[in-house]
Amino acid sequence: MPKRQRLDLLATQVELLTEYWQQGMRDLSDPRVAEAAVSAHLTENQVKVWIKDTWTKNSTSASTLGKLTNISCKRRVSGYNLYSSSLKKDGIGVRQWATKWKQLSDEKKKFWEKEGEKATLAERLAPMTEKRIKHLKNRQLKIIDNAVSKHYCKVLQFLL
């Protein structure tokens, strides 16, 4: 099967198709597809390919990359973790942390849990650094790549 020839659109054609897209032309069976094709001097199939490409581009960027600055992927800071950090600063070894935590009164444990909640809230409200955003974007892309490669492996197994 021959490869499909790449569709190179002019800036005016892209602009026109984008206007249709913003007006709600997102379905391949939309009657505006024919109208857009005529006004952009393209075939209906070319417009449909453009719609599919735009759908893919928008869904990928919105779901995985576009909103990473508004979310925090860090885990909740627990009271135990904060207490352990204070023990570490005091020079107490890792093996003693759990024992020391068990020996704390319920009142002290509640205090450390409240401190953990405060730290979690402060962390979530703090703006993310560029380095963290880049890391999260790369992590999301790896997840997508793994999912796609697993999907293709299943398809190949089914065909064989």
Side-chain angles (χ1 to χ4, degrees):
M1 178 179 251
K3 276 180 99 175
R4 181 173 60 89
Q5 191 174 8
R6 180 174 162 77
L7 176 62
D8 290 324
L9 299 176
L10 301 172
T12 54
Q13 290 172 319
V14 172
E15 195 175 297
L16 187 72
L17 292 174
T18 304
E19 284 178 27
Y20 276 97
W21 177 266
Q22 290 170 349
Q23 293 170 6
M25 181 187 71
R26 290 178 168 68
D27 189 57
L28 300 179
S29 61
D30 192 320
R32 289 180 284 189
V33 170
E35 182 184 323
V38 169
S39 59
H41 304 293
L42 298 168
T43 65
E44 284 188 40
N45 281 344
Q46 288 172 323
V47 173
K48 289 178 181 180
V49 167
W50 182 87
I51 290 171
K52 284 186 211 174
D53 291 347
T54 306
W55 260 118
T56 304
K57 182 178 72 173
N58 287 343
S59 64
T60 302
S61 62
S63 65
T64 60
L65 306 175
K67 297 182 180 177
L68 285 176
T69 55
N70 299 330
I71 62 169
S72 174
C73 292
K74 293 185 178 181
R75 291 172 38 198
R76 185 178 80 78
V77 178
S78 71
Y80 175 76
N81 289 347
L82 282 178
Y83 179 69
S84 300
S85 296
S86 72
L87 293 176
K88 184 179 179 181
K89 289 176 187 171
D90 293 340
I92 297 173
V94 175
R95 294 183 182 179
Q96 298 175 347
W97 292 353
T99 306
K100 293 266 187 196
W101 177 257
K102 287 178 186 175
Q103 294 171 352
L104 280 181
S105 67
D106 288 340
E107 186 178 304
K108 289 276 187 179
K109 287 180 183 177
K110 284 181 184 176
F111 165 78
W112 283 106
E113 288 298 332
K114 285 183 182 177
E115 290 298 310
E117 289 172 10
K118 288 179 191 174
T120 301
L121 182 62
E123 227 175 68
R124 289 189 177 157
L125 294 177
M128 292 178 65
T129 63
E130 288 296 321
K131 183 178 178 181
R132 180 75 178 150
I133 292 169
K134 186 177 179 180
H135 167 75
L136 291 174
K137 285 180 180 180
N138 288 335
R139 193 168 112 201
Q140 289 293 328
L141 288 173
K142 285 179 185 176
I143 291 168
I144 291 168
D145 286 343
N146 289 338
V148 169
S149 64
K150 286 179 186 176
H151 175 72
Y152 282 126
C153 288
K154 288 179 183 178
V155 169
L156 288 174
Q157 287 174 353
F158 176 76
L159 292 174
L160 298 175

